[in-house]
Amino acid sequence: SREWSNYGMCGAGVVLAALCIRSMLQINWIDFAIIRILLETHVVNLLLGVMILTCLTMFYLLRRKRPVYLIEFAVFIPDLPHRCPNDEFEQKSQRSGFFTEDSLAFQRKVMVNNGVGNDTYLPPGVRAVPPECTMQNA
């Protein structure tokens, strides 16, 4: 439906442009003199109107939602031994002796708030006690 609204805006613009061209073809020299006098006397109003129209157009163009397309969706599921439930991760973090109670509480908060569930898979280096932070185990 959003695409149809864009086509509708384009169609309205074409019709408006055609009406403007048609009316300009019917203007004679006296009308040009009247338009010149009106522009000289109402130049501030004209500039203000153009500025407001420009701002509204920019606001519309910047605030509209652009479509997002999902090109491909794939999830890699490793072997079952790499699975690490939250309880197991907490126990291994406590047994490692590297973390204070504050940092363990922070880890719990991160696991709860960031969607780390019991079906999370971790590399062997993170699951080891003590953790083996090497490129080979990553």
Side-chain angles (χ1 to χ4, degrees), residues 70-117:
L70 180 64
I71 296 182
E72 185 177 350
F73 184 76
V75 176
F76 172 72
I77 298 177
D79 297 332
L80 196 57
H82 293 289
R83 185 172 172 267
C84 185
N86 290 344
D87 296 335
E88 180 183 333
F89 181 76
E90 276 186 55
Q91 291 170 0
K92 289 183 178 184
S93 294
Q94 285 175 341
R95 281 187 280 165
S96 71
F98 292 127
F99 304 105
T100 64
E101 281 301 316
D102 290 339
S103 60
L104 289 172
F106 177 73
Q107 285 181 3
R108 274 187 230 106
K109 185 178 176 183
V110 167
M111 284 190 292
V112 169
N113 293 335
N114 289 332
V116 178

Side-chain angles (χ1 to χ4, degrees), residues 14-54:
V14 168
V15 169
L16 185 63
L19 289 174
C20 288
I21 291 171
R22 181 176 171 255
S23 65
M24 288 187 74
L25 292 175
Q26 294 175 351
I27 293 177
N28 58 27
W29 292 109
I30 296 171
D31 292 334
F32 276 122
I34 293 171
I35 290 172
R36 187 178 59 90
I37 292 169
L38 287 174
L39 286 178
E40 287 175 357
T41 56
H42 298 289
V43 71
V44 174
N45 293 339
L46 178 67
L47 289 177
L48 186 63
V50 168
M51 287 174 52
I52 289 173
L53 186 62
T54 303

